[in-house]
Amino acid sequence: MKNSGNPGAKEPQIIPRAAHNVTRGEFSKSALKVLYRLHKAGYQAFLVGGCVRDAMLELHPKDFDVATNATPDEVRALFGNCRLIGRRFRLAHVRFGREIIEVATFRAAAVHVDDDSAHDHEGRILRDNVYGTIDEDVWRRDFTCNALYYNIADFSIWDYVGGVKDVERRRLVLIGDPEERLREDPVRMLRAVRFAAKLDFTIDPAVVEAMHHHARLLSNVPAARLFDEFLKLFQAGHAERTFDLLREHGLFAEMFPATEHELLEDEDFMRFVRAALQNTDRRVAAGKSVTPMFLLGVFFWLPVRNLAAIRRAEEKMSESQSLSLASYDILAEQQRRISIPRRFTVPMREMLALQPRFELLNGRRAVKLLEHRRFRAAYDFMLLRSEVGQFDGEAAKFWTDVQTQTASERAASFKLQAKPAKKRPPRRRRRRKKTQGA
Ligand code: ATP
Ligand code: MG
């Protein structure tokens, strides 16, 4: 078989402290405290997963997963600052200020559960909830590079699956049979792309082949879980590379079918999307915040605009109105794949619907745009459009300049009439319409 690892192997390769480059300095003080206390109490205690992998690659891991043979109740008995979470499979969260160290008891892989009901008819894992030993825990993990255990007892690394070699060769290799492992959990395809982009690893050809067979299975993944993955894929600082890999492996089309359709049709749209991805990566690199609603707005921009044009041809309405209605429909369709929380869809629709208003450069209505609560995002969106030649550069500059002007300069820019000199009577409260709420 092409894959590394020999399911059921009981003996790890143990790489002693002197023979690897992982130092405790790479791990947080809190994670080390947890490990030491478990160890002192007589339990096995390992760091596992991304933090060991990232430490080997000198990438300064930020979150730490501990694996132990202590049960969750035994972990809780050792730590005052500990909460047990999860119903199906209990994990201990040990809190140090804002940092949380996740402590998981070794688990047996579902494939070791001698019971057909552990998988659905497409082979997806439904149950994964049996405590086990470290030599069982290792086989339920996804990639060999994610299955390295750092032993606090002697600072050695335990490797059952050839993970150290794969990290050195910069390869993402699934443990076990790739076809089966992707059927069990199709999200592993997205994880492959995410790690390949983040770590600059090559995806093992056998995994690529299996991905091409199973891309369609992403549609069975709960839409809420796909939203979580979407965030990890596009907000980790490698959005553009991730996007290319997702498209290369047919995964983007499963996540965003309407967007993929337009990308194939329209080169300008591709340039626009690419500019947004580069922009997102630049912001992450500079430590600035990113909101998913901006990128989602970019992904839906052309599908929404096209549908809005159809709407306007059918019925008389303003461009803004048509954009708002069209984004509602495009989002409704999209939610069946990836469920986007309302706190992102509402501002996204506003951001798109405001676009035509940047064409209006004078009068009170133009001033109103500047005061709109969604101005900032809509302005950034418009700037991006102008960057790729889809919005007039002069007008874009107008909106940039006007933001730093004084009140009187601004009045001149917007060509506002001087206010009448006479004092206005105090404003009365607007009366509510009787029909409101009907
Ligand atoms: P990062 O923290 O950089 O996203 P990570 O590898 O730590 O990467 P997590 O999602 O934090 O990823 O998961 C921790 C570990 O749990 C992984 O390294 C892997 O061993 C295991 N794991 C997580 N998700 C899966 C999955 N879907 N299938 C199999 N194993 C998984
Ligand atoms: Mg992690």
Side-chain angles (χ1 to χ4, degrees), residues 49-50 53-54 63 65 140-142 146 181 185 188 191 194-195 198 225 232:
R53 175 199 71 210
D54 289 355
D63 67 70
D65 296 311
R140 71 178 180 83
R141 299 192 175 269
D142 48 7
N146 286 347
R181 299 307 308 282
D185 182 3
R188 288 173 186 151
R191 290 174 58 85
R194 176 156 69 87
F195 295 132
K198 168 182 161 173
R225 188 167 172 215
K232 292 186 195 166

Side-chain angles (χ1 to χ4, degrees), residues 26-38 45-48 51 61-68 72 75-76 79-85 90-105 152:
E26 286 284 322
F27 302 133
S28 81
K29 294 233 162 52
S30 316
L32 292 169
K33 263 189 217 162
V34 171
L35 292 165
Y36 284 130
R37 192 173 303 175
L38 284 165
F46 295 86
L47 280 172
V48 64
C51 61
K62 270 171 235 71
D63 67 70
F64 300 93
D65 296 311
V66 172
T68 178
V75 174
R76 185 165 54 183
F79 298 95
N81 46 340
C82 176
R83 246 166 34 103
L84 298 190
I85 61 148
R90 287 192 307 160
L91 295 170
H93 274 182
V94 186
R95 181 183 282 277
F96 297 86
R98 292 176 63 186
E99 192 180 9
I100 291 176
I101 306 297
E102 192 169 289
V103 184
T105 306
I152 200 65

Side-chain angles (χ1 to χ4, degrees), residues 190 193-194 196-198 230 232-235 237-253 255-256 259-264 266 269-278 281 295 298-299:
L190 302 180
V193 162
R194 176 156 69 87
K198 168 182 161 173
F230 162 78
K232 292 186 195 166
L233 284 163
F234 286 100
Q235 303 198 347
H238 315 278
E240 190 184 15
R241 173 111 187 88
T242 299
F243 170 79
D244 286 332
L245 286 171
L246 287 175
R247 293 194 71 230
E248 181 182 333
H249 299 302
L251 302 171
F252 192 80
M255 299 175 80
F256 296 101
T259 307
E260 176 64 19
H261 180 77
E262 301 300 344
L263 285 170
L264 294 173
D266 191 317
F269 183 49
M270 178 62 96
R271 282 199 300 126
F272 179 56
V273 168
R274 215 171 261 294
L277 293 164
Q278 288 163 357
D281 288 343
L295 205 51
V298 168
F299 284 174

Side-chain angles (χ1 to χ4, degrees), residues 272 293-294 297-298 301 304-305 319-321 323-324 347-361 369 372 374-386 390-391 395 399:
F272 179 56
M293 77 96 174
F294 190 84
V298 168
W301 177 231
V304 164
R305 259 178 50 166
E319 200 179 343
S320 284
Q321 226 178 345
L323 286 169
S324 178
M348 194 206 89
R349 285 179 64 202
E350 285 178 339
M351 177 177 80
L352 299 188
L354 285 177
Q355 292 307 306
R357 287 187 47 188
F358 284 98
E359 287 158 30
L360 185 68
L361 303 185
L369 175 57
H372 196 285
R374 213 58 71 192
F375 173 80
R376 188 70 220 182
Y379 164 79
D380 286 342
F381 195 91
M382 175 278 290
L383 268 193
L384 197 69
R385 291 173 58 213
S386 100
Q390 292 172 27
F391 185 82
W399 286 105

